[in-house]
Amino acid sequence: MTDTATSKSTTEKPKLQSTGSLHSLFKNVDLFSENDEELYPPLQHGARFAAPIEDSTLLGLGMKPDELKAFQKQRHAYINKDQIYTDEIKIPNKTEMIDYHQLHLVSPVDQSNAARLLSKLVVIKLNGGLGNSMGCKTAKSTMEIAPGVTFLDMAVAHIEVSNKFYYFYYNNNNNNNNNNNNNNNNNNNNNNNNNIFFQINQDYNVDVPLVIMNSYKTHNETNKVIEKYKTHKVSIKTFQQSMFPKMYKDTLNLVPKPNTPMNPKEWYPPGSGDIFRSLQRSGLIDEFLAAGKEYIFISNVENLGSIIDLQVLNHIHLQKIEFGLEVTHRINTDSTGGILMSYKDKLHLLELSQVKPEKLRIFKDFKLWNTNNIWVNLKSVSNLIKEDKLDLDWIVNYPLENHKAMVQLETPAGMGIQNFKNSVAIFVPRDRYRPIKSTSQLLVAQSNIFQFDHGQVKLNSKREGQDVPLVKLGEEFATVSDYEKRFKSIPDLLELDHLTVSGDVYFGSRITLKGTVIIVANHGERVDIPDGVVLENKVLSGTLRILDH
C-alpha cells in the first residue's frame, strides 16, 4: 500500500442547524435599514419596449387558446412588472399559520370518519423535469434511488404499499447495511415486517387516485412506465402541462418560427403553477368533482417526504381551508427555492432565484422554506380559473442557446397562496421535505440514516437528534453514473455530522464515517478509501491508494 495522505483529527464538531420551533422563527428585525432599490434585476432596453405578439402568431405555433392567453398575460406582466415595495415586506406573523404539532389539538382526527375523508382526496405528483442535474436524460421519476426502486415506485407505494416492493427494498437495504455495519442487523431485521405498513387504499377500502403531471419532455416515457402498475390497487392518471415558447432576452421576440417543425429546445414547461390550468383543460377537475373528490394534494415526485398525512387533510377539511402550503424550517443548504413572506399583509412566496444577489442578505432572517407540498380545495380552484382570477406571480430564467440569452417565464404552484380567500401556511417537520436533487442528497437517502416505516421515509431511530448530516460531494460525483462508480457500497453514515469530498476519490465497501470527515484529493492525485475503514473526525488529503501485491 502506498500512503502519502495526511490525516488530521477534528475534535470540534460542526454546529448543526436546529430544526427549531415555530415560535423561534419569529423575531423583530429591521429588514430595510437603508433605502433599498428594486429587488429584481432590470429589463434590457429592447425588452422594455418590446412589441406585442399577435394571438394569431401563437395559434400558428400550435398553442391552445388557454395557453396563449396565459403566455400573453405573463409576458405583459414581465414587461410591465410591478415594483416591489420593500417597506411592505415582513416576516410572516405566527398567527398566519399553524404548527403541525398543534393540529391534533386544533383539528382532532375522528378515526371513524377517516375513510370518508380520504375518499375525497386526489394525489398529484409533479413530474415535468428530467434528471439533468444528476446527468440523467430520462424523466426524474424513473431514476433509481435504490437498485430497482424509482421515485415513481415510491409514489405508488405511498398510496398502495406493495408488500412485494417493500420486501425487496428491505432485503436490499439490509444487505447494504450488513456490508457496512453488522451491528445494525437487529434493528433492521426487526423492522422487516410487511404487516406494519399503512396502506391507504387497502386498509381504508378507498380509491385515492394518483395523478401525474408530465411535461412534453416526460409524458410519453411516463405513460409507458406506468403500465407496470396495472395490477396495483391504485388508479393512475396522467395529463400533460402546457408548452410555452422561449423568447430572446434582448427583444422578447419568439424563438420558434411559424410553419417550421417543432424544435423542443425552443419550448419549455412553464413551471408547477401551470398545474391548475392544465388540470382544468384535461377535464380531470370536473371528473373528480363529479366523483365526489374535494381536495388535491400536490407535491414534487422527487420529495420522498411528501406522503398523505391524515392529520393535515383533516385540518384542511374542518377549517374549510382553500389553499394550504406546507413550509418547514430553512437550513443552510436551502438555497434554490422559495421563502414565505408577508407582503402588504398577505402571505406570499418569494423565489430567491429572482432576487439580485446583492439583495439576498435582506432575507437571511426569513426561515420559512417552501416544501412545495400543497393542499387545494378543488371547487375553489375551479371557480378561480373559470372567473379568471387565478393570478400567479412569475419567475424568470435565462437559459443560453447558441450563445444567445433567452427568457423562460414560469409560475410556481406555491404562489397560489395569495389568491385564495382562506389560505394558510402549515409549519411542518423537515421529514416532510426530503427532496433528491443531487447525488449528495442521494447518498444520504440511500444510507442507513433513513428507514422505511408505515410507507414513509423516516430517520433511523438509532440516530441521535433530528438533523441529517451535511454532505457535499465534489463535481466528480455530480452524475449518477460517476457517483455509482466511486462507491463500492454505501458507507455507514449513522453517526456522521458533516462530509465533504473533493477531487478524485473512491470509496471501498463496509466503510463507516463519523463526526466530521473531509477528504480532498489534490489535482492529479487520487484517494482510495480502503474496505472496512472507520473514519471519525478526520481530514484526509494527498494520495491514498491500495495496490495489488
Side-chain angles (χ1 to χ4, degrees):
M1 179 177 74
T2 64
D3 184 354
T4 60
T6 61
S7 174
K8 302 177 182 177
S9 295
T10 61
T11 56
E12 183 179 353
K13 292 188 176 183
K15 295 180 180 179
L16 295 177
Q17 189 82 36
S18 170
T19 56
S21 65
L22 180 58
H23 180 75
S24 68
L25 301 182
F26 299 93
K27 57 181 180 179
N28 294 321
V29 293
D30 185 7
L31 296 177
F32 303 99
S33 56
E34 58 187 78
N35 185 22
D36 284 286
E37 66 274 13
E38 179 64 35
L39 294 173
Y40 294 161
L43 291 177
Q44 291 183 291
H45 180 80
R48 188 174 301 161
F49 300 100
I53 297 174
E54 297 294 330
D55 287 354
S56 58
T57 301
L58 297 173
L59 287 170
L61 293 175
M63 294 188 74
K64 300 177 179 66
D66 69 308
E67 288 179 320
L68 74 85
K69 183 179 179 180
F71 173 79
Q72 292 280 41
K73 196 173 185 178
Q74 285 185 22
R75 185 176 184 269
H76 181 267
Y78 176 65
I79 296 171
N80 304 280
K81 60 181 180 178
D82 295 331
Q83 182 178 353
I84 299 294
Y85 296 99
T86 54
D87 59 338
E88 296 280 2
I89 296 176
K90 298 180 178 65
I91 293 175
N93 190 299
K94 61 183 178 182
T95 60
E96 297 177 278
M97 59 193 69
I98 182 70
D99 192 331
Y100 177 87
H101 296 293
Q102 297 299 314
L103 291 180
H104 70 286
L105 299 175
V106 178
S107 303
V109 174
D110 178 1
Q111 286 296 333
S112 66
N113 194 42
R116 189 176 71 86
L117 188 56
L118 287 166
S119 70
K120 299 176 181 292
L121 181 65
V122 175
V123 172
I124 303 181
K125 293 293 182 180
L126 304 175
N127 182 44
L130 305 176
N132 290 335
S133 62
M134 291 188 278
C136 299
K137 303 302 181 184
T138 58
K140 182 176 286 188
S141 62
T142 64
M143 286 177 51
E144 291 191 355
I145 53 175
V149 182
T150 68
F151 286 115
L152 203 51
D153 292 331
M154 291 295 296
V156 172
H158 286 164
I159 298 174
E160 184 262 6
V161 179
S162 164
N163 286 342
K164 180 179 178 181
F165 164 75
Y166 272 101
Y167 179 76
F168 167 79
Y169 189 90
Y170 260 118
N171 281 345
N172 176 73
N173 203 36
N174 283 334
N175 288 338
N176 280 342
N177 288 336
N178 288 340
N179 289 335
N180 292 331
N181 188 346
N182 289 329
N183 292 331
N184 289 334
N185 283 351
N186 291 335
N187 183 65
N188 288 330
N189 289 334
N190 287 339
N191 283 293
N192 191 3
N193 182 340
N194 291 324
N195 295 321
I196 67 173
F197 297 116
F198 182 45
Q199 304 173 70
I200 296 289
N201 284 347
Q202 181 172 313
D203 290 352
Y204 285 90
N205 193 28
V206 293
D207 179 18
V208 176
L210 172 63
V211 180
I212 303 170
M213 184 178 83
N214 300 312
S215 69
Y216 69 91
K217 299 178 180 180
T218 63
H219 193 60
N220 292 336
E221 178 187 6
T222 303
N223 281 341
K224 292 178 182 177
V225 170
I226 63 175
E227 290 293 317
K228 70 178 182 178
Y229 305 117
K230 280 186 174 181
T231 59
H232 288 243
K233 189 177 173 58
V234 57
S235 302
I236 302 178
K237 297 177 182 290
T238 66
F239 68 99
Q240 184 174 327
Q241 71 175 121
S242 305
M243 293 170 55
F244 280 9
K246 293 179 182 178
M247 297 175 287
Y248 292 108
K249 183 181 179 182
D250 54 352
T251 63
L252 294 190
N253 291 335
L254 299 176
V255 175
K257 305 301 180 189
N259 304 316
T260 59
M262 189 271 192
N263 181 354
K265 292 184 178 181
E266 298 176 343
W267 296 79
Y268 67 96
S272 60
D274 182 63
I275 183 175
F276 305 114
R277 187 181 59 254
S278 293
L279 190 64
Q280 181 84 332
R281 186 198 320 128
S282 72
L284 287 175
I285 288 184
D286 292 336
E287 178 183 326
F288 289 138
L289 286 172
K293 304 296 184 182
E294 296 183 18
Y295 309 103
I296 52 175
F297 173 45
I298 305 166
S299 64
N300 295 338
V301 72
E302 72 272 16
N303 180 7
L304 297 180
S306 58
I307 65 166
I308 296 171
D309 190 296
L310 186 58
Q311 185 70 73
V312 177
L313 174 61
N314 184 63
H315 181 73
I316 297 291
H317 176 69
L318 292 181
Q319 304 302 323
K320 296 180 170 55
I321 291 169
E322 296 182 356
F323 189 99
L325 177 67
E326 294 185 22
V327 295
T328 193
H329 184 67
R330 179 184 177 187
I331 61 176
N332 293 334
T333 54
D334 293 329
S335 56
T336 303
I339 56 170
L340 192 68
M341 67 177 185
S342 177
Y343 184 67
K344 295 184 177 180
D345 297 323
K346 289 189 69 175
L347 289 177
H348 273 62
L349 191 66
L350 176 68
E351 290 286 327
L352 294 182
S353 62
Q354 302 308 293
V355 179
K356 293 178 181 178
E358 63 270 23
K359 300 298 178 185
L360 287 174
R361 59 177 174 75
I362 295 172
F363 301 100
K364 62 181 176 61
D365 291 312
F366 287 71
K367 298 298 185 182
L368 297 170
W369 189 254
N370 174 31
T371 67
N372 222 36
N373 297 344
I374 304 168
W375 303 79
V376 185
N377 182 287
L378 261 177
K379 187 66 176 176
S380 297
V381 74
S382 177
N383 290 340
L384 283 176
I385 294 172
K386 290 175 180 177
E387 296 168 6
D388 197 23
K389 292 182 179 179
L390 186 62
D391 294 318
L392 305 183
D393 289 341
W394 46 265
I395 62 174
V396 60
N397 290 311
Y398 300 112
L400 287 175
E401 292 285 347
N402 298 323
H403 307 290
K404 284 190 175 183
M406 299 183 184
V407 169
Q408 293 183 187
L409 299 176
E410 305 175 17
T411 55
M415 286 185 174
I417 196 169
Q418 65 210 48
N419 283 257
F420 293 79
K421 292 179 182 178
N422 188 15
S423 59
V424 68
I426 306 165
F427 181 67
V428 299
R430 287 288 298 194
D431 61 11
R432 289 193 59 76
Y433 183 63
R434 301 292 187 200
I436 309 296
K437 298 181 179 180
S438 67
T439 52
S440 297
Q441 293 173 328
L442 183 62
L443 175 62
V444 175
Q446 291 182 336
S447 74
N448 57 349
I449 291 288
F450 291 109
Q451 293 179 323
F452 287 98
D453 182 26
H454 292 73
Q456 302 181 47
V457 179
K458 290 188 175 182
L459 280 175
N460 191 321
S461 60
K462 287 192 172 183
R463 180 170 174 82
E464 295 183 4
Q466 294 297 307
D467 295 298
V468 297
L470 176 62
V471 174
K472 296 181 179 178
L473 301 179
E475 60 183 14
E476 293 81 6
F477 294 78
T479 69
V480 172
S481 59
D482 287 338
Y483 162 88
E484 291 175 344
K485 291 175 185 175
R486 292 177 179 274
F487 284 100
K488 201 172 185 179
S489 69
I490 303 300
D492 178 345
L493 307 184
L494 199 57
E495 298 179 45
L496 179 70
D497 296 323
H498 176 198
L499 172 66
T500 295
V501 182
S502 177
D504 192 14
V505 180
Y506 288 80
F507 290 80
S509 61
R510 306 186 313 281
I511 291 172
T512 301
L513 305 176
K514 300 180 179 183
T516 296
V517 178
I518 300 172
I519 305 170
V520 179
N522 298 325
H523 181 69
E525 298 177 337
R526 171 170 165 165
V527 171
D528 283 72
I529 308 301
D531 295 348
V533 165
V534 177
L535 297 178
E536 181 173 5
N537 295 323
K538 296 290 184 182
V539 176
L540 293 177
S541 62
T543 60
L544 176 65
R545 302 195 65 179
I546 306 296
L547 302 179
D548 291 335
H549 182 62

